[in-house]
Amino acid sequence: MFELTFLGTSAAAPSVHRSLSAQIVDYQDQRFLIDCGEGTQRQILQAGIGFRRLHKILITHGHLDHILGLAGLLSTFSRWEAVERLEIWAGDYAMERIRDLLYGVVLRGAQPPMQLELHIVEPGTLLEDDDFRLSAFPVKHRGPSCYGYLFEELPRRPFLVAKAAELQLPEGPIRGQLVQGQAVTLEDGRRIEPEDVLGEPRSGARLVHVGDCGQTENLIEVCQNADGLVIEATYLEFEADLAQRFAHLTAAQAARLAAWLPLSTTHWRGR
Ligand SMILES: [Zn+2]
């Protein structure tokens, strides 16, 4: 299950009611900030999220309305020492600008206030553990190295409680061992195989995040079987020529892509 918090959804410049691009994705104990437009740190405070778990920032592309907030965030961290480690993930063009912004403007020779890791994004898997995978895929927008992000819970086999009761399987860590695929031997000498208590594999939740974007045709494959899609829409249909000229989507184009998705099972918390 993924939890989304929209910190900002405005394009190019903030409006009275909306801040610039920034969203939080929470999955278990992992937190990801996607894009960091100007003013993101104030939005984080307003959302009551706090900075302490903010270790991973994913950038969709290098336009200034998606990255300028990184400067303020790093400046604040220099005073508060709120985090020990910060990873920023971005395509090579975006990272060039981010490096200039952070090292050329904010730090200017000073050491970062935390272990600062800059990771260049390329298509494919970025992070993976036993039950979660984060990967990047190319998105067509203005400029090079624009990326979308796919958050996936990996397929898992459910523990069949009724079967366990039938086998008089005791409570406790042996159940965890079986879930991890290890056979166990009970005190009465019976050997229980994972197959005895695990059901058929079930696919996990999939959340697709796309930032600024000018075309949806190349996104259909990654969006199939997604439970949730976050995607921009900057123009209305009567402005379709503007949308095309600036490589953005109309609301109708974004909605047509979303219509490919099955009903969402993702829990939403919008702001
Ligand atoms: Zn852009």
Side-chain angles (χ1 to χ4, degrees):
M1 191 74 83
F2 298 102
E3 185 168 325
L4 258 170
T5 306
F6 290 92
L7 300 175
T9 57
S10 192
S15 72
V16 173
H17 299 292
R18 288 193 291 155
S19 192
L20 289 168
S21 278
Q23 289 91 42
I24 295 271
V25 173
D26 280 304
Y27 177 70
Q28 296 180 352
D29 60 347
Q30 302 200 64
R31 169 164 289 168
F32 301 87
L33 171 63
I34 307 179
D35 284 340
C36 190
E38 176 195 340
T40 294
Q41 54 175 328
R42 185 157 186 271
Q43 294 299 101
I44 289 173
L45 293 172
Q46 280 199 326
I49 286 171
F51 296 113
R52 288 199 181 278
R53 284 179 52 216
L54 203 60
H55 299 301
K56 295 186 178 75
I57 302 178
L58 311 174
I59 299 295
T60 58
H61 66 296
H63 288 160
L64 295 178
D65 53 329
H66 294 253
I67 64 169
L68 281 180
L70 290 170
L73 204 57
L74 190 68
S75 169
T76 297
F77 284 164
S78 301
R79 291 178 179 84
W80 290 359
E81 299 177 20
V83 300
E84 289 174 1
R85 196 186 80 253
L86 186 64
E87 296 171 23
I88 301 175
W89 295 76
D92 49 9
Y93 170 73
M95 194 60 90
E96 206 180 306
R97 287 189 116 175
I98 290 167
R99 199 174 273 120
D100 286 350
L101 180 65
L102 299 186
Y103 285 94
V105 176
V106 179
L107 295 169
R108 291 174 62 82
Q111 284 300 308
M114 78 290 280
Q115 184 186 330
L116 180 60
E117 298 174 14
L118 304 183
H119 297 275
I120 301 291
V121 170
E122 291 190 352
T125 300
L126 307 181
L127 301 168
E128 184 167 355
D129 63 21
D130 288 345
D131 42 34
F132 169 75
R133 182 191 299 134
L134 168 66
S135 48
F137 54 90
V139 166
K140 290 193 173 149
H141 180 50
R142 293 194 320 281
S145 64
C146 304
Y147 290 101
Y149 296 101
L150 169 63
F151 298 82
E152 289 175 285
E153 273 184 317
L154 299 179
R156 67 175 62 193
R157 300 181 65 182
F159 185 79
L160 303 174
V161 177
K163 277 282 190 81
E166 212 175 279
L167 292 167
Q168 297 178 321
L169 200 67
E171 300 281 344
I174 59 164
R175 294 187 176 214
Q177 283 174 254
L178 287 161
V179 168
Q180 284 164 14
Q182 299 163 16
V184 296
T185 304
L186 303 182
E187 280 182 7
D188 62 12
R190 284 184 298 146
R191 184 178 164 85
I192 309 288
E193 300 289 339
E195 295 301 317
D196 299 331
V197 290
L198 298 183
E200 291 299 310
R202 273 192 207 153
S203 58
R206 284 162 61 89
L207 171 66
V208 177
H209 186 289
V210 178
D212 288 0
C213 171
Q215 277 183 34
T216 57
E217 290 78 4
N218 60 323
L219 301 177
I220 290 171
E221 193 180 330
V222 73
C223 288
Q224 278 176 347
N225 301 318
D227 299 287
L229 168 66
V230 177
I231 191 165
E232 69 125 326
T234 303
Y235 295 97
L236 295 176
E237 204 55 11
F238 75 90
E239 302 165 304
D241 56 334
L242 282 176
Q244 193 175 15
R245 193 183 327 156
F246 295 111
H248 280 287
L249 296 179
T250 66
Q253 282 176 307
R256 279 194 289 272
L257 177 63
W260 278 83
L261 308 182
L263 281 178
S264 171
T265 55
T266 309
H267 171 65
W268 304 93
R269 179 165 68 99
R271 270 172 205 277

